[in-house]
Amino acid sequence: MERAVLATLERINRKKEGILKISNYLDAHLVVFLTAESRDDALQLLVEELDKSGKLPEKKTFFKAILDREKIVSTGIGMGVALPHAKLKDLKEFFVVIGIQKSQGLDWKAIDKAPVRIIFLIGGPDDKSSEYLQILSRLTLAIKDEEIRKKLLKAKSPSEVIKLFENF
């Protein structure tokens, strides 16, 4: 009996160790407080910050991939949140850029028609679908928490934003 319990606890601990943490993909330099006029302006500003950080081998290609993805279907998932994303072979690792629109929300053609004020721009290599899906899953879990969304909108610093994701 004890052996079975120990084996179960070991499996649980291994799963916990393997849980992807959103904070591992965040960087204080990639938390941007926006005052954009449109969806495309917001995306451009976020891509500019990414480019400054050295994470993009080709800024124009990434920006075009993001806009092309938006043409397929809006990444405005509701609750004032958008998850624009692109995977490209030239990208070596995943990253998440957080944009918080401090002024009015942006028309993103979201599924609930609500204006977007929180943007999680995701990029990464096109050959790591499993990791990509895990990132989306963890972000979605965090976003569903209304308190986290409220705290994101009230945040005054990038470190405050990142701290909110340390448990996710």
Side-chain angles (χ1 to χ4, degrees):
M1 177 75 169
E2 284 181 347
R3 196 177 268 176
V5 170
L6 287 174
T8 300
L9 288 173
E10 191 175 292
R11 275 195 309 278
I12 290 169
N13 284 333
R14 272 198 308 264
K15 282 184 179 179
K16 282 184 180 177
E17 288 170 8
I19 290 176
L20 177 139
K21 292 190 76 156
I22 293 300
S23 57
N24 293 340
Y25 298 90
L26 301 178
D27 177 329
H29 296 100
L30 297 177
V31 175
V32 184
F33 295 100
L34 302 166
T35 55
E37 297 292 322
S38 69
R39 177 198 73 184
D40 290 3
D41 288 346
L43 290 171
Q44 182 69 48
L45 290 166
L46 295 176
V47 170
E48 290 291 332
E49 289 303 313
L50 263 173
D51 191 48
K52 286 182 202 172
S53 76
K55 294 197 181 280
L56 294 177
E58 178 50 51
K59 177 176 71 171
K60 288 180 183 177
T61 302
F62 185 74
F63 185 64
K64 182 181 179 324
I66 291 290
L67 291 180
D68 288 348
R69 174 61 186 83
E70 288 295 330
K71 289 176 187 172
I72 295 169
V73 67
S74 173
T75 58
I77 62 166
M79 302 171 292
V81 177
L83 292 170
H85 52 277
K87 297 186 302 176
L88 300 170
K89 66 179 179 188
D90 294 345
L91 297 175
K92 303 295 180 219
E93 60 186 25
F94 281 97
F95 51 77
V96 178
V97 184
I98 301 175
I100 300 171
Q101 177 74 3
K102 285 296 189 176
S103 57
Q104 84 287 350
L106 302 169
D107 179 15
W108 212 282
K109 303 202 182 340
I111 58 172
D112 65 356
K113 309 281 190 245
V116 165
R117 293 192 57 209
I118 303 169
I119 306 160
F120 296 93
L121 176 63
I122 306 165
D126 66 354
D127 63 347
K128 294 185 180 177
S129 292
S130 177
E131 184 176 359
Y132 174 67
L133 292 174
Q134 287 178 50
I135 292 169
L136 281 176
S137 173
R138 299 300 294 169
L139 268 176
T140 302
L141 194 69
I143 292 163
K144 285 182 179 179
D145 186 326
E146 186 178 358
E147 281 304 306
I148 287 179
R149 292 191 316 270
K150 286 179 181 177
K151 288 177 181 177
L152 282 169
L153 292 171
K154 290 179 183 175
K156 295 189 182 350
S157 71
S159 60
E160 208 177 317
V161 170
I162 290 173
K163 200 172 261 188
L164 288 170
F165 290 96
E166 287 177 353
N167 294 323
F168 279 94

